Amino acid sequence: MAITTTSEVDPAVSTYYDRILLERALPFLIHDMFAEQRDIPAKSGNTIKFRRYSALTTATTPLTEGQTPNGQKLAKTDLTATIAFYGDFVTITDVIDLTVEDPVLTVEAELLGEQAGETRDELTKDMLSATASLTQATQGANGSTPTEINKTDIQTVVQTLLGNKAKMLRSVVTASRGVGTTPVRAAFWGTMHSDIITPDLEDVQEFIPTAKYPAQSTVLESEWGSTGNVRWVYSTNAEKTSGSPDTYDLNIIGRNAYAITSITGGTLKNIVKNFGDGDDPLNQRATSGWKFAYVSRILNDSFMHILQVSKA
């Protein structure tokens, strides 16, 4: 029996193109989240100066009748940071605009926005990694240097920050009537690579997952849970150094530890040049790009600390 199959009559278009674009894998952008925002007004230069006064020593010596004490001098520390400009763009041709099925200009803007966000996150991460305060974990059980994350080393860092008079960034979350919920202590914020979530973080003694927080309204999208006085957020963008073993820098951050600065009017902008703009006599090119002015600065090394760990 003669049967006609696609071997004899094949479709003119053999592949169907699904125009619903696949979702891109994007990291959480966590490194700006706990900064002080201190911007420079427009027309006021490109360098910001931060100033801190040293505390006065206590006056525990009784006054002598009729005699004026020596008094004390004020002492200050000045820190400066200079704005830099960052940006990138993509060019498409009129042929792409006329022939490609996708809304290329829209996709282009989305990709550039994601690139700008990750660029800023990486800039802040690199600044945080330069803090002078670092401790390698030693109390884990994996035998590496450093060891895996553990309760004892976390408590050591917390104790160091408290000894430096660092203030926590989150207040106590009290217990509720919800079944299985657990009160959450006042806390510093900690940042970590997603590699360290499981089993490492979850194996830390007295770890509390966000699902057991009594107030879900306080939970950040990137937050995984808490250990003692640290609440942890994660990202694939967090600091990781390949080696034997791979090591991970976990930033534990208190209030006023670092700042991020822009110039008024210099925040992130999408800049679009349409076909025919500029040197384009035949309307052949269009560009979309972004630009921002930005700098990040450690304000006080004593208010943040890196706990360096390896995988369990």
Side-chain angles (χ1 to χ4, degrees), residues 5-21:
T5 68
T6 53
S7 297
E8 291 76 35
V9 182
D10 60 316
V13 178
S14 59
T15 301
Y16 171 73
Y17 178 57
D18 184 352
R19 297 191 184 188
I20 300 176
L21 299 176

Side-chain angles (χ1 to χ4, degrees), residues 263-286:
I263 296 177
T264 303
T267 52
L268 179 63
K269 294 179 181 178
N270 179 218
I271 301 167
V272 177
K273 304 294 184 183
N274 291 314
F275 294 103
D277 287 351
D279 184 18
D280 185 21
L282 297 181
N283 291 2
Q284 292 176 292
R285 296 178 299 278

Side-chain angles (χ1 to χ4, degrees), residues 220-231:
L220 302 182
E221 185 180 10
S222 56
E223 188 174 356
W224 198 261
S226 67
T227 56
N229 292 100
V230 182
R231 288 173 63 169

Side-chain angles (χ1 to χ4, degrees), residues 7-59:
S7 297
E8 291 76 35
V9 182
D10 60 316
V13 178
S14 59
T15 301
Y16 171 73
Y17 178 57
D18 184 352
R19 297 191 184 188
I20 300 176
L21 299 176
L22 299 177
E23 183 177 353
R24 290 178 292 280
L26 299 173
F28 287 120
L29 307 180
I30 62 175
H31 294 100
D32 277 0
M33 294 170 65
F34 314 116
E36 295 287 310
Q37 181 79 48
R38 306 284 184 86
D39 289 345
I40 300 173
K43 311 295 185 182
S44 300
N46 64 344
T47 299
I48 187 169
K49 179 187 285 187
F50 303 99
R51 173 167 292 179
R52 177 173 62 249
Y53 285 93
S54 301
L56 298 174
T57 58
T58 54

Side-chain angles (χ1 to χ4, degrees), residues 250-302:
L250 315 184
N251 294 101
I252 301 178
I253 301 164
R255 192 186 308 166
N256 298 321
Y258 67 108
I260 54 177
T261 298
S262 184
I263 296 177
T264 303
T267 52
L268 179 63
K269 294 179 181 178
N270 179 218
I271 301 167
V272 177
K273 304 294 184 183
N274 291 314
F275 294 103
D277 287 351
D279 184 18
D280 185 21
L282 297 181
N283 291 2
Q284 292 176 292
R285 296 178 299 278
T287 63
S288 180
W290 59 267
K291 183 173 68 173
F292 62 68
Y294 179 75
V295 69
S296 55
R297 180 69 158 87
I298 294 171
L299 299 181
N300 196 325
D301 277 301
S302 297

Side-chain angles (χ1 to χ4, degrees), residues 133 155-167 188-189 230 252-254 301-305:
S133 305
Q155 288 178 318
T156 297
V157 172
V158 168
Q159 194 64 47
T160 297
L161 291 171
L162 294 175
N164 292 337
K165 302 179 182 178
K167 302 296 189 295
F188 298 105
W189 280 109
V230 182
I252 301 178
I253 301 164
D301 277 301
S302 297
F303 293 169
M304 59 189 295
H305 204 98

Side-chain angles (χ1 to χ4, degrees), residues 84-90 108-121 123 266-273 287-294:
F85 288 82
Y86 302 88
D88 204 357
F89 70 96
V90 172
E108 186 177 77
E110 291 175 355
L111 290 170
L112 287 163
E114 292 161 5
Q115 180 199 29
E118 289 196 53
T119 296
R120 179 161 157 161
D121 188 65
L123 290 169
T267 52
L268 179 63
K269 294 179 181 178
N270 179 218
I271 301 167
V272 177
K273 304 294 184 183
T287 63
S288 180
W290 59 267
K291 183 173 68 173
F292 62 68
Y294 179 75

